Amino acid sequence: MNNNSWHIFGHDWAVTLLKKHAAGGNLRHAYLFVGPEGVGRKTLGLRFAQALNCSQPPAPGEFCGSCRDCRQIQAMQYPDLSLVAPEEGHQDILIDQIRELQHTLSLAPYSARYRVALIPNFQRMTIQAQNALLKTLEEPQDRVIILLTVNALESLLPTIVSRCEVVRLHPASLADAQTYLESIKGLPGTQAERIAHISGGRLGTANHLVEEPAILSHRTEILEMLLRLLPAPLHERFKAAEDLSKPYDKARQNVGEVIPIWLSFWRDVFVRASGADLPLVNIDFIDRVEQIAPLLSEGKARELVIAHEKASQQLDLNANVRLLVENLLLQLPVILTLSSE
């Protein structure tokens, strides 16, 4: 899986393409990295920026990784690298940020061969901001490269997509992800298999889970909370909703972490209830999934998946957090027969 010097795993064809472009072959002014979050979009963009601006490249299209340019780009503290993300207190990238970026890109690079603008999660850009950026894409400055990452093309203006080199990235297979975690990260087989499933083959997410084991512990606590709530009476469910909504200034963030994990559990239940031949995400909770699935109809399991998906969308639309959680908990089935582990 690692047959390239960029230390990017599972995206060999993309690395080959970008190496060729960085070496001077048909360089574009804008690149659009498309794929699910955690698949390695931003990492690939940073490697490309290093290959473009490395001061001591060992070969065309390569980078040394140790010169000041490479180290500063990796740390995203490079004077000729502009990183654009939503400002604090905002969910979207705003038009004023794009206007500021346009001014920066109009200036000659300080020291690099290319000024690079990196805009992760481009789908979080308002339509007004997209239209503003379109002008830059239509009239590109010399020695400027724009790198965009996005979950899916459907959220973008077609005119944006048409002016970019589209690089589609896909998760690794679970088997390849497990092999990577065992051979490169040195994890034992059981742990590697667990993280491969939880990450869904997205190696960026897998690396993050390896580097931050507290995330896995927190995930386990969130799933155990869900299981405790299934046999719980209404007043305990309402108390849980109250607790998740505190403190007020972090409630949206807290619930934003909980709902996707609960959703993954109900998706696993739905997979088992429907008899689909699909891998589970929470293989460390497989006993609970297989205990609950026969107690629900396929239709009810599907309803629970849809309810959590809708709750996640409503959370993004600034719905009242406590009411949202209360409504979600009221839709959970009452299961009194869960055996102890």
Side-chain angles (χ1 to χ4, degrees), residues 160-213:
I160 294 276
V161 178
S162 67
R163 285 164 175 79
C164 298
E165 176 81 19
V166 177
V167 182
R168 297 179 184 270
L169 305 177
H170 301 283
S173 70
L174 296 183
D176 283 347
Q178 181 175 341
T179 299
Y180 162 77
L181 290 166
E182 290 176 1
S183 60
I184 304 300
K185 293 297 181 178
L187 298 187
T190 301
Q191 187 180 1
E193 182 186 20
R194 177 193 181 202
I195 292 178
H197 279 256
I198 293 172
S199 67
R202 296 168 295 152
L203 297 184
T205 298
N207 284 328
H208 190 51
L209 294 175
V210 172
E211 294 161 4
E212 301 287 345

Side-chain angles (χ1 to χ4, degrees), residues 33-65:
F33 300 99
V34 185
E37 186 173 351
V39 80
R41 305 166 305 183
K42 187 168 77 170
T43 299
L44 185 58
L46 289 172
R47 296 288 188 273
F48 188 40
Q50 288 174 304
L52 290 170
N53 285 321
C54 177
S55 59
Q56 302 171 10
E62 302 284 358
F63 59 89
C64 69

Side-chain angles (χ1 to χ4, degrees), residues 255-277:
V255 174
E257 294 173 357
V258 168
I259 291 178
I261 294 173
W262 286 1
L263 170 59
S264 73
F265 181 83
W266 292 117
R267 175 202 171 272
D268 286 346
V269 171
F270 174 63
V271 166
R272 281 293 189 261
S274 66
D277 184 19

Side-chain angles (χ1 to χ4, degrees), residues 91-164:
Q91 291 189 338
D92 298 322
I93 298 169
L94 306 177
I95 189 171
D96 288 344
Q97 293 177 264
I98 298 304
R99 288 172 177 157
E100 183 179 346
L101 174 66
Q102 288 170 327
H103 172 70
T104 301
L105 297 181
S106 70
L107 305 174
Y110 287 109
S111 59
R113 285 191 293 274
Y114 296 97
R115 270 194 182 278
V116 178
L118 175 59
I119 309 179
N121 295 312
F122 187 64
Q123 70 274 4
R124 297 177 68 178
M125 185 176 289
T126 65
I127 293 297
Q128 293 84 355
Q130 287 190 43
N131 278 316
L133 184 65
L134 183 58
K135 181 175 176 60
T136 300
L137 296 177
E138 290 174 337
E139 302 172 5
Q141 299 281 338
D142 291 338
R143 300 172 65 191
V144 167
I145 304 295
I146 298 175
L147 308 178
L148 313 172
T149 79
V150 69
N151 294 339
L153 297 180
E154 291 75 18
S155 59
L156 304 186
L157 294 171
T159 46
I160 294 276
V161 178
S162 67
R163 285 164 175 79
C164 298

Side-chain angles (χ1 to χ4, degrees), residues 240-241 244-245 255 320-330:
L244 285 170
S245 303
V255 174
N320 181 288
V321 176
R322 182 166 175 178
L323 290 178
L324 184 149
V325 178
E326 287 180 353
N327 180 60
L328 192 59
L329 292 180
L330 286 173

Side-chain angles (χ1 to χ4, degrees), residues 61-76:
E62 302 284 358
F63 59 89
C64 69
S66 57
C67 70
R68 185 176 66 175
D69 301 84
C70 284
R71 286 185 283 108
Q72 288 183 340
I73 291 171
Q74 178 63 31
M76 292 183 288

